[in-house]
Amino acid sequence: IFSDIHRFRIWRKLWLALAETEHDLGLEQVTAEQVAALAAAPDVDLELAQSYEAKLRHDVMAHVHALGDQVPLARPIIHLGATSCYVTDNSELIQMAEGLDVLIKATWATVAKLKRFAEANKDVATLAYTHYQPAQPTTVGKRACLWMQDFLVDALALEHVRDTLKMRGAKGTTGTQASFLALFDGDHEKVKALDAMVVEKMGYKGRKWGVTGQTYTRKQDFIVVAALAGVAQSASKFAVDMRLLQSMKELEEPFEKTQIGSSAMAYKRNPMRSERITALARFLNSLVMNPAETAATQWLERSLDDSANRRLAISESFLTADAILQLMLNVTDGLVVYPKVIAKKLNEELPFMATENILMEAVKLGGDRQTLHESIRVHSMAAAKRVKEEGLNNDLLQRIMDDPVFAGVKEKITDLVDPMMFVGRAPEQVTDFIAEEITPQLEARNVSLEVAGEVKV
């Protein structure tokens, strides 16, 4: 999509659309034979165009001359009334729209794969973390819904951006359409029709900027790249979480049979895909400053300091977003869950979290709340010291069961520390969120789980 040849082929389509429309509107200088010759033109001759550019130092005029050599009959009317930004701005807009089509499909496929994972693990209780400290439990599936929701936001945002992109149209050198007004002998209605008809021929009926300088507003580029950075943010959040969870041996990204984790430490299973997502996301997020600065520093009707920057920043943003999503598709397609490790870690912390339930149950059976509270406090401190200073297991529940003041609830304690009693509505939230917000969107777009990510390294 962002190759030179594709870009130059779009230029050819734009020149043909302009010539066709000028002829349709009665411009005598453009004949039917010239339009037909342009329509039948050979493919872009890159070598010929490059030879012209080496002499002219102007990419658009190099291609004008190259096309003129290939289609001599149409040479006099190629680019008639247009400025360079007629082909550059409009073609780049089309490239961005085509790129968004690709990324939107991959983003929805990522949502679908996370949906499948969340449904499969909605009842797997796990420690939640705030400040990266153990907190009230959640479920593995509920955590996946947080990732999924971010990508849902991105998919909808990308669609909105794609569907509201506007072409520059045919506006002339500084956006006043003066050249076209001269060609049509002052006929304002024909000039307006030219602008609208060219845009419609390129597939963007009614979607053009009402006013421009020499370029369309560069805020459009910022809106596009910012939406791509949204994907980077969501992917980085997921990948960082994966790296943390893999270090705790609770979840793992796919690890192939012959894959090597470290050149020195043969036992290692490094989360290299998630690390790569993080690295690429950092790069994509940094690219947002380029269109932001470009939009902010345009001089009057236009300055050329945007051109080289845009060709790098926009194409690299799309290519980086594509690489990130390919990795996301690969990782989410093969996530590995280790329920026993998850349960072990949860059980190490759950006794502390269960003490309030135990306290309430003992009070209901006639115990003194203050006495019970003090006993739990003393036992908790002793158990924590045993874990932290001696490296032993958490024996808080056993201490409580051995304490006479809790004799009435001793037989109930095992039931009172069932992990699923502490996850709140997490499983139900997974079911509701998917049914209400995810499934309707996926079904409306016929999203397939068969879309696979291609990881070459």
Side-chain angles (χ1 to χ4, degrees):
I1 292 173
F2 287 94
S3 66
D4 283 344
I5 188 66
H6 185 61
R7 181 168 179 251
F8 298 144
R9 284 170 178 161
I10 298 174
W11 288 9
R12 294 280 184 96
K13 293 178 182 178
L14 286 160
W15 280 320
L16 175 60
L18 179 62
E20 282 180 342
T21 306
E22 289 172 335
H23 173 71
D24 292 345
L25 290 171
L27 191 63
E28 294 180 356
Q29 293 90 333
V30 182
T31 67
E33 292 75 19
Q34 289 172 318
V35 172
L38 277 178
D43 198 7
V44 177
D45 188 331
L46 289 175
E47 289 188 9
L48 179 59
Q50 288 166 358
S51 68
Y52 271 114
E53 188 169 356
K55 293 184 291 184
L56 304 176
R57 297 298 179 189
H58 195 288
D59 55 351
V60 173
M61 284 308 299
H63 280 267
V64 168
H65 281 281
L67 179 57
D69 287 355
Q70 291 180 290
V71 190
L73 178 62
R75 178 185 175 89
I77 56 90
I78 298 169
H79 200 66
L80 184 60
T83 187
S84 295
C85 286
Y86 168 70
V87 289
T88 56
D89 271 28
N90 286 322
S91 65
E92 288 157 10
L93 179 283
I94 291 169
Q95 286 176 289
M96 287 192 286
E98 292 174 347
L100 285 168
D101 284 338
V102 173
L103 299 180
I104 287 166
K105 181 180 179 181
T107 305
W108 281 118
T110 300
V111 172
K113 292 178 190 295
L114 286 171
K115 168 183 174 287
R116 179 177 61 186
F117 178 80
E119 288 174 327
N121 295 280
K122 68 183 180 68
D123 296 313
V124 180
T126 185
L127 275 177
Y129 290 85
T130 59
H131 313 277
Y132 200 44
Q133 302 300 310
Q136 191 176 67
T138 183
T139 69
V140 173
K142 170 60 191 300
R143 180 178 284 146
C145 284
L146 302 180
W147 301 328
M148 194 190 331
Q149 182 171 248
D150 285 350
F151 282 102
L152 171 65
V153 171
D154 295 326
L156 294 172
L158 291 173
E159 288 183 339
H160 175 74
V161 169
R162 178 198 59 191
D163 295 343
T164 55
L165 288 174
K166 295 181 180 180
M167 293 188 71
R168 179 185 182 275
K171 298 291 198 299
T173 304
T174 60
T176 65
Q177 298 174 300
S179 56
F180 296 116
L181 195 62
L183 283 172
F184 286 102
D185 296 324
D187 190 328
H188 288 265
E189 293 307 312
K190 284 190 175 182
V191 174
K192 289 170 63 178
L194 174 76
D195 197 14
M197 290 170 66
V198 165
V199 168
E200 184 174 352
K201 284 178 182 291
M202 298 305 296
Y204 284 78
K205 183 178 181 179
R207 288 167 56 191
K208 60 181 176 60
W209 290 101
V211 293
T212 70
Q214 190 169 85
T215 69
Y216 64 64
T217 172
R218 293 307 186 216
K219 290 184 74 67
Q220 180 162 248
D221 298 340
F222 172 76
I223 291 168
V224 171
V225 177
L228 302 186
V231 174
Q233 293 154 20
S234 301
S236 182
K237 159 64 176 164
F238 165 83
V240 169
D241 284 356
M242 275 302 304
R243 292 161 65 190
L244 293 171
L245 293 167
Q246 184 154 331
S247 74
M248 295 187 284
K249 299 180 175 59
E250 294 189 9
L251 264 66
E252 278 188 353
E253 64 177 36
F255 194 90
E256 294 163 22
K257 186 175 181 180
T258 58
Q259 183 175 327
I260 295 174
S262 168
S263 62
M265 295 166 279
Y267 60 88
K268 293 196 76 179
R269 296 168 67 96
N270 296 336
M272 64 90 169
R273 292 171 175 83
S274 296
E275 289 173 320
R276 192 178 306 163
I277 290 171
T278 307
L280 291 169
R282 187 181 308 141
F283 176 65
L284 178 47
N285 284 331
S286 74
L287 291 175
V288 177
M289 284 305 300
N290 289 277
E293 287 296 319
T294 296
T297 56
Q298 288 295 287
W299 293 4
L300 305 175
E301 278 63 50
R302 196 266 173 104
S303 55
L304 196 60
D305 62 350
D306 68 338
S307 182
N309 183 289
R310 291 178 69 251
R311 293 186 191 186
L312 289 170
I314 294 174
S315 60
E316 288 188 356
S317 294
F318 274 88
L319 294 171
T320 306
D322 184 48
I324 289 170
L325 286 167
Q326 290 300 309
L327 288 162
M328 282 297 309
L329 290 170
N330 178 267
V331 173
T332 54
D333 211 22
L335 287 172
V336 181
V337 180
Y338 293 105
K340 291 184 178 179
V341 176
I342 292 171
K344 179 175 182 292
K345 289 185 177 295
L346 178 57
N347 290 332
E348 288 173 355
E349 300 291 339
L350 202 56
F352 296 114
M353 300 174 188
T355 54
E356 186 173 8
N357 287 11
I358 296 170
L359 175 64
M360 294 301 102
E361 190 66 23
V363 169
K364 284 194 292 183
L365 294 175
D368 183 293
R369 191 267 179 196
Q370 314 314 328
T371 301
L372 295 166
H373 184 278
E374 177 60 17
S375 293
I376 288 176
R377 187 192 70 81
V378 171
H379 293 318
S380 296
M381 294 302 105
K385 180 179 180 181
R386 170 186 168 88
V387 171
K388 294 177 181 178
E389 295 184 10
E390 301 176 37
L392 301 175
N393 66 304
N394 187 341
D395 66 346
L396 176 58
L397 294 181
Q398 189 62 51
R399 289 173 182 270
I400 292 173
M401 286 190 287
D402 291 342
D403 189 329
V405 300
F406 290 99
V409 296
K410 181 175 181 178
E411 300 303 321
K412 297 183 177 182
I413 285 180
T414 300
D415 294 333
L416 291 173
V417 294
D418 178 356
M420 293 306 291
M421 291 182 62
F422 296 86
V423 300
R425 295 194 64 254
E428 291 75 16
Q429 285 181 340
V430 173
T431 300
D432 293 347
F433 175 64
I434 289 175
E436 295 168 10
E437 300 192 39
I438 299 298
T439 299
Q441 299 284 3
L442 296 179
E443 290 181 348
R445 294 161 179 81
N446 196 26
V447 178
S448 172
L449 278 167
E450 300 305 314
V451 178
E454 184 178 3
V455 180
K456 295 183 178 180
V457 178

